Amino acid sequence: MSPLRNGSLFANALLVAIGAAAGAGMTYLLMPHGGGSDTVSGPRGLERDVPSVSAPALGELAGGSSHSFHALIELMEFKDPEERSRALREAGADAARRDPASALTLAEQLRSDQDKLDFMRGIYGVWGGNDPRAALDHANSNFTAGLLRSETIGIAMNKWGSRDPRGAWLWAEQHLSGPLKDQALTDLVIGWTRQAPTVAAKWLEGTRYYSQPLFAAIGSTWAEQDPLGAANWAAGLNNADARRTTQTVIAQTWAERTPMEAAKHFEPLLTGDNGVNLATVLADIWGTSDPAAAAAWISQLSNSAARLEAAATLATVWSASDINAAVAWSRTLTDPQIRRQVIAQIGTTWGAIEPDSALNWLNTLPASDASGGVVGAYNSWAATDAVGLGEWIAANPPSAAMDTARLSLADVISDQDMAGAMDLAFGLSTLAGRDDAISRYYHHWRKVDEASAQDWLAQTLPSLPVSTQTRLRQEQDRPIVAR
């Protein structure tokens, strides 16, 4: 996001939109409210309510006494990471209610960066709600670049944006730049949307500034409260990119809660320009919670492209959680294209976990169905256990099946070990296959390290078959395009 200068279309539109307090709920938005919730409401999962945990009585935790320090030490006894994180956030919030300055001093006594971050999240959840400007000034001035700075600024911007988006935006304009500013503005919009989604959405449209992260932030946040309202808003967006982005995140958020409702709403849109993306997102989310229901929905889709991608996505998700059920589903598929795609995804996923079992299963299938899955299984095996695949290849004689394994492994190691990739290529079972692979890897070698590739060629070329020499000379004449 480029910096906004005073007087720019975007900045002026913001000031005009928020300054016009009359109408559309802006009076309420700009009025100060009561203390509100201390729950951290922001990005990267911070917007979830913080469950209460059984923590030590903190007493005068923010008072700086030895009792405060010992109470904090007791929190370190929580072994479960989530329980420890919740306890520290709750303790930070409790300390900030008493005195933010003392709470910050107490936070400095924490040795673990993660413990300090959790404690600070609690502090900023309260401080950012009570005095966001002071909280932001402190974070911006005292924390170095990194997660602690971005998280605390994000929490405070989120809190401020829910009550005074104009003030929060102007502060970001004056003090932040680059990715940190972009993220802070997204956090601001999230907080604003929680309070007045229609106002935030109307403002963003009016700016004609089509920032995809901001549209996504409004869409997903609004969908948490009112998915149908958010979807209806997204459908009316004139900018195609903004519409596609917003509809996709709304579909994801909606499907996380009621996937059947989300699928029913977006199904008529699967024939449009965003149909494949929507089908993929719905299959991914629904497949995690109820893959059988997702499979039934996919089977009746009319759009072939959306159906194919949704089936492939479901195959990956399902095979990661229940490989036997995914395999059983693949047997029920009557459409050859979908069946092959599903088998390919199952083979790829299974090959990363149990390559032997995956290949044994694939070998029971017709070659026309299994070929994509075999390649996927070898690719996954090569990526997760290159040494093991190499040993397995060495223990088996050359064959068409071994050729696929050799090429998968060679592709994986070619960036780091070109000599090893060439050795694998020379082991292919047919001369035509060897020539194709050797010339391809030699071209890649020249991209990676031209000098060593030329040394290898000078030493090796005279001993190679005539057809291989011809192919390599042709590769010498091809221009190398830099990466």
Side-chain angles (χ1 to χ4, degrees), residues 326-346:
V327 168
W329 171 53
S330 71
R331 298 192 188 106
T332 69
L333 300 173
T334 57
D335 184 302
Q337 186 181 21
I338 291 180
R339 184 174 63 250
R340 288 192 293 268
Q341 182 80 312
V342 165
I343 290 171
Q345 297 304 122
I346 293 174

Side-chain angles (χ1 to χ4, degrees), residues 189-315:
V189 167
I190 290 172
W192 188 2
T193 304
R194 291 195 190 285
Q195 297 299 322
T198 56
V199 178
K202 184 177 181 180
W203 161 76
L204 184 56
E205 282 185 84
T207 66
R208 298 184 181 180
Y209 183 79
Y210 296 108
S211 165
Q212 303 308 303
L214 294 185
F215 274 95
I218 289 179
S220 60
T221 306
W222 192 351
E224 292 173 358
Q225 310 167 45
D226 178 12
L228 181 58
N232 288 337
W233 164 67
L237 293 173
N238 292 324
N239 182 272
D241 290 337
R243 184 176 63 251
R244 284 191 292 265
T245 296
T246 309
Q247 287 179 330
T248 301
V249 298
I250 291 170
Q252 178 178 348
T253 304
W254 196 347
E256 287 171 352
R257 289 157 176 75
T258 52
M260 187 174 293
E261 286 184 7
K264 182 177 180 180
H265 176 85
F266 286 105
E267 189 169 330
L269 303 180
L270 299 187
T271 58
D273 60 350
N274 198 33
V276 170
N277 286 337
L278 290 171
T280 300
V281 166
L282 292 166
D284 184 16
I285 302 300
W286 200 353
T288 302
S289 59
D290 190 349
W297 170 69
I298 290 170
S299 67
Q300 53 81 49
L301 293 179
S302 58
N303 182 269
S304 58
R307 186 173 66 247
L308 183 64
E309 291 304 315
T313 300
L314 177 59

Side-chain angles (χ1 to χ4, degrees), residues 26 50 61 71 154-155 167 220 261-263 280 320 346 414 429 434 446:
M26 291 304 296
V50 181
L61 185 62
I155 293 169
S220 60
E261 286 184 7
T280 300
I346 293 174
S414 59
S429 62
R434 287 197 298 273
R446 291 183 62 199

